[in-house]
Amino acid sequence: MIGPYVEFARKAFAREATYRVEVFTNVGSVLLRVYLFRSLWTALYAQNAAPADIPLHAMITYATIALLMGLILEIDGTRAIRERIREGTIATDLMKPISLPLYFFSDGFGQTVFHALLIVPSVLLALLLVHIDVPSPATLALFALSFALGYLVNFFLNFLMNIVAFWTLETFALQLMVRWASDLLGGQILPLSFFPGVLGTIVGALPFASIYWTPLRIYIGQVAPAEIPGLLAVQMGWLVLFAGVSAVVWRLAERRVVVQGG
Amino acid sequence: MPIIETRDLRKVFRAVKRTPGALGALRTLFSREYVDRVAVEDVTMSLEPGELVGYIGPNGAGKSTTIKMLTGILVPTSGRVVVDGLVPYAERKKNARNIGVVFGQRSQLYWDLPLIESFELLRAIYAVPPERYRTNLREFTELLEMGDFLQTPVRQLSLGQRMRGDFAAAMLHDPRIIFLDEPTIGLDVVAKEAIRNFIIRVNAERGTTVILTTHDLADVERICPRIVLIDEGKIIYDGEVERIKSEYGTHRTLVVELCDGERDVHVSGATFESRVGNSVRMQFDRNEISADQLIRRVADSYCINDVTLQEPDLESIIKRIYREGYSDPDGAVPPPAEIAR
């Protein structure tokens, strides 16, 4: 019974597309940020702030790709859960013959696809504005796979944060903390090799690293091809763990509504 | 076989006990004292397929708690509930296929998309066969006069249009039962009437069972032959609207227009109520004096231009029952389920 979920994704896509002005300002702001990042890193590298294993052109590539990934990963389809709990409309959702986690996933996915398409002009213009490395098709394919895994880990992380609202109603503070943690510790702002020694090891072992750091390392060629399967396996491991926890917590949440009233 | 059946249905909510004051608020953060509140108490009722039932009660009487248990999103504390052969909370998704829900206060339509897109989404959710979907859509579009705004984004619809959209949305998958919660709230007279006609029509043509909760008793009077009255979680009346009217509505108002000036009218058997100009209102009890007798008595002593007789409407009856409680004029109150048959 995949039919409704495909439809949810399509509707989310259509819904996103209704806000046209936002779309265009978005592209503009992306280009501005790409340019700023290039200037920033060039200046920093001139001051010798660079880690040994990432040359400047790779760093600019990293920052640009991280930015574009962020446009997709920052979309949180599960935010609707929190809103619907607060408004009480979650009760009407539960009166439908559908799986709500899948519903929120498809909705978020539809939004993602829309924003992914939106990235295309940004990417093309970014290529004109700054020089970024484009790796071999094989590496690109591995990057795509790793990105997809990171996307799913990110989805479940968001999902877990948002269903906390079933207990607390308000999750904003938690949300903000996790967001910051995942941006910083996930490698969106900085490559994780900037973290020194033990700190670097710890940060690299956290689930956040699966979201930005792993795919980006693959993209900029910072890892040997032989290491890649291991990295993907780690991502897969986090994904399975997060999905499992999400399933359990969802069951509890659903039970909670159903036992105590929405 | 009843399509909806509950027996001794009960729901107790448990809430953290709150102590007043700033210190008390702090204390509730740490201590866990609970208070139990019985929202629905031993509700027993039974609905046959195709019935139109008004489920009436003041705010907080337990109406929506009951509806939530019937729709499967709330587990009863105790008691039995069966809806179309299913135990709703145990088989929520399966039950969801048999029911349709309309909330006057919240919409199930997609806010940003044209109305028609919400319908298409519902078609996918309920896997409505294409042929069936087309027929239903055509019929509802005509009945509810939605042709002009099918392509309009829902956020631009008027309340009346949106409600019509919500009704169609709830009926597209041919549910056997629909739950209507305040479906005419905030609507103008014309829109109300359109919605009422739609409910009646759908019930007559498709045999859909309808449970209507509302504070607008004109809806009930117009649509439902039977009402279930609930107060403080308990059913206090379950039976025909006509019956409650004849039992409780024994008070009539006689309005007399005098032809010879402006004065109050006093006759035995009726109580003077008010006078505006030469129009006098009197109350009497139908069981004590017939209207015919009363009019004769008035006519004996006064010159009458015109008389009108007013029956009490359901609203004034229900108001009185909320205030005084229900007691069966024939004696003891039989168990509500018995009255229903």
Side-chain angles (χ1 to χ4, degrees):
Chain A
M1 279 307 296
I2 188 126
Y5 303 105
V6 174
E7 201 66 21
F8 290 142
R10 284 180 42 193
K11 291 292 178 275
F13 184 96
R15 198 179 60 222
E16 287 300 298
T18 48
Y19 299 101
R20 253 176 270 170
V21 178
E22 207 182 327
V23 167
F24 293 121
T25 50
N26 214 326
V27 174
S29 109
V30 168
L31 289 177
L32 187 65
R33 278 186 286 167
V34 165
Y35 185 72
L36 283 176
F37 271 127
R38 191 192 71 155
S39 313
L40 176 72
W41 286 112
T42 312
L44 283 174
Y45 268 61
Q47 301 295 316
N48 280 334
D53 56 347
I54 305 179
L56 179 59
H57 67 91
M59 189 59 236
I60 290 172
T61 305
Y62 185 103
T64 309
I65 301 294
L67 184 72
L68 298 174
M69 283 170 73
L71 297 181
I72 291 178
L73 291 169
E74 272 160 18
I75 292 158
D76 179 7
T78 56
R79 197 181 53 202
I81 301 179
R82 191 180 63 201
E83 283 155 13
R84 302 183 84 91
I85 291 169
R86 285 183 42 171
E87 291 163 7
T89 39
I90 196 90
T92 9
D93 295 331
L94 284 166
M95 289 177 192
K96 299 251 154 57
I98 48 167
S99 148
L100 284 189
L102 261 179
Y103 163 72
F104 290 115
F105 178 77
S106 344
D107 193 89
F109 189 72
Q111 295 179 42
T112 302
V113 174
F114 178 75
H115 285 266
L117 287 180
L118 203 60
I119 285 180
V120 174
S122 308
V123 172
L124 295 177
L125 290 169
L127 282 170
L128 291 176
L129 197 64
V130 297
H131 172 77
I132 62 167
D133 301 342
V134 180
S136 70
T139 310
L140 270 181
L142 286 168
F143 162 76
L145 179 61
S146 175
F147 184 22
L149 289 170
Y151 176 81
L152 292 173
V153 171
N154 185 56
F155 167 78
F156 284 114
L157 187 66
N158 284 331
F159 181 75
L160 279 171
M161 275 191 305
N162 280 306
I163 49 179
V164 171
F166 275 105
W167 287 271
T168 62
L169 285 184
E170 189 46 80
T171 64
F172 187 68
L174 178 73
Q175 201 99 23
L176 217 56
M177 263 160 44
V178 176
R179 188 85 278 150
W180 284 342
S182 80
D183 283 354
L184 186 64
L185 307 178
Q188 197 217 358
I189 300 172
L190 283 176
L192 296 188
S193 34
F194 274 79
F195 289 93
V198 185
L199 193 57
T201 316
I202 295 173
V203 170
L206 293 176
F208 302 119
S210 291
I211 302 173
Y212 285 98
W213 178 231
T214 307
L216 281 166
R217 282 173 90 187
I218 295 173
Y219 188 96
I220 63 169
Q222 200 237 14
V223 284
E227 286 178 58
I228 292 176
L231 289 175
L232 294 177
V234 170
Q235 282 187 301
M236 191 72 91
W238 283 121
L239 173 58
V240 170
L241 181 73
F242 274 70
V245 173
S246 295
V248 173
V249 177
W250 171 254
R251 190 144 311 155
L252 292 175
E254 196 179 18
R255 230 186 93 75
R256 191 189 147 83
V257 182
V258 170
V259 171
Q260 305 199 351
Chain B
M1 242 235 340
I3 192 162
I4 292 179
E5 198 167 24
T6 72
R7 184 154 291 279
D8 302 326
L9 195 62
R10 192 180 176 87
K11 181 70 196 180
V12 181
F13 288 113
R14 165 163 278 206
V16 177
K17 192 177 173 187
R18 302 214 175 268
T19 329
L23 230 98
L26 205 62
R27 195 185 298 161
T28 46
L29 269 179
F30 300 104
S31 89
R32 295 269 105 165
E33 265 183 276
Y34 294 100
V35 272
D36 283 348
R37 190 175 63 80
V38 183
V40 168
E41 198 172 347
D42 305 328
V43 162
T44 299
M45 63 176 162
S46 147
L47 267 69
E48 293 301 319
E51 268 199 278
L52 289 158
V53 176
Y55 195 48
I56 313 298
N59 291 326
K63 298 188 300 280
S64 51
T65 306
T66 315
I67 300 298
K68 281 180 179 168
M69 290 193 275
L70 293 175
T71 50
I73 62 165
L74 199 57
V75 181
T77 308
S78 65
R80 223 169 76 90
V81 51
V82 180
V83 175
D84 201 7
L86 300 172
V87 176
Y89 60 89
E91 295 179 273
R92 175 172 63 79
K93 285 186 210 165
K94 235 174 159 182
N95 185 54
R97 293 194 175 277
N98 299 335
I99 62 172
V101 188
V102 176
F103 290 104
Q105 307 271 33
R106 48 178 88 131
S107 179
Q108 59 169 323
L109 305 168
Y110 259 67
W111 201 241
D112 289 324
L113 297 179
L115 184 56
I116 186 80
E117 305 242 345
S118 287
F119 293 159
E120 274 162 20
L121 193 67
L122 289 162
R123 180 191 57 74
I125 290 178
Y126 292 99
V128 184
E131 188 50 39
R132 190 75 213 146
Y133 173 73
R134 270 195 297 276
T135 325
N136 278 348
L137 185 62
R138 199 182 319 121
E139 188 180 334
F140 296 153
T141 305
E142 191 186 316
L143 274 179
L144 294 164
E145 293 169 23
M146 298 190 298
D148 293 339
F149 54 87
L150 273 180
Q151 303 297 337
T152 312
V154 173
R155 67 185 130 84
Q156 292 172 13
L157 297 181
S158 73
L159 182 64
Q161 293 172 328
R162 204 214 78 201
M163 273 323 296
R164 283 183 268 164
D166 259 305
F167 263 90
M171 292 296 305
L172 274 176
H173 61 289
D174 292 313
R176 297 197 65 200
I177 305 157
I178 48 172
F179 296 97
L180 310 175
D181 188 3
E182 297 276 353
T184 60
I185 196 162
L187 297 183
D188 65 47
V189 199
V190 181
K192 267 185 189 178
E193 203 46 33
I195 293 288
R196 289 170 185 162
N197 286 333
F198 181 71
I199 299 171
I200 292 167
R201 177 102 179 241
V202 155
N203 168 266
E205 286 176 4
R206 297 166 182 242
T208 314
T209 309
V210 180
I211 294 194
L212 170 70
T213 54
T214 180
H215 290 292
D216 185 346
L217 288 156
D219 284 350
V220 177
E221 228 169 346
R222 177 86 168 70
I223 299 170
C224 305
R226 173 180 165 197
I227 58 169
V228 175
L229 213 65
I230 181 171
D231 196 10
E232 290 171 5
K234 284 184 238 161
I235 290 183
I236 54 175
Y237 177 83
D238 178 347
E240 284 168 15
V241 174
E242 283 314 313
R243 194 181 132 191
I244 204 170
K245 271 185 163 178
S246 63
E247 282 172 359
Y248 259 80
T250 55
H251 286 271
R252 295 276 187 277
T253 306
L254 181 72
V255 186
V256 181
E257 202 181 293
L258 302 174
C259 50
D260 54 351
E262 303 181 356
R263 52 198 177 121
D264 296 355
V265 172
H266 294 278
V267 289
S268 63
T271 336
F272 171 76
E273 195 186 293
S274 63
R275 178 176 67 81
V276 180
N278 59 349
S279 168
V280 180
R281 297 174 65 87
M282 289 173 280
Q283 287 243 346
F284 68 100
D285 190 325
R286 195 188 52 182
N287 291 347
E288 283 160 23
I289 183 168
S290 74
D292 171 57
Q293 265 178 311
L294 182 64
I295 293 168
R296 277 168 210 266
R297 260 185 221 176
V298 179
D300 280 348
S301 334
Y302 302 88
C303 164
I304 303 178
N305 239 351
D306 194 11
V307 287
T308 34
L309 197 56
Q310 289 174 0
E311 283 200 12
D313 58 0
L314 190 56
E315 179 148 357
S316 62
I317 295 171
I318 301 288
K319 243 190 243 162
R320 210 176 123 204
I321 295 178
Y322 287 169
R323 209 171 44 233
E324 297 166 12
Y326 179 81
S327 62
D328 196 307
D330 303 333
V333 189
E338 305 288 305
I339 310 179
R341 279 168 205 141

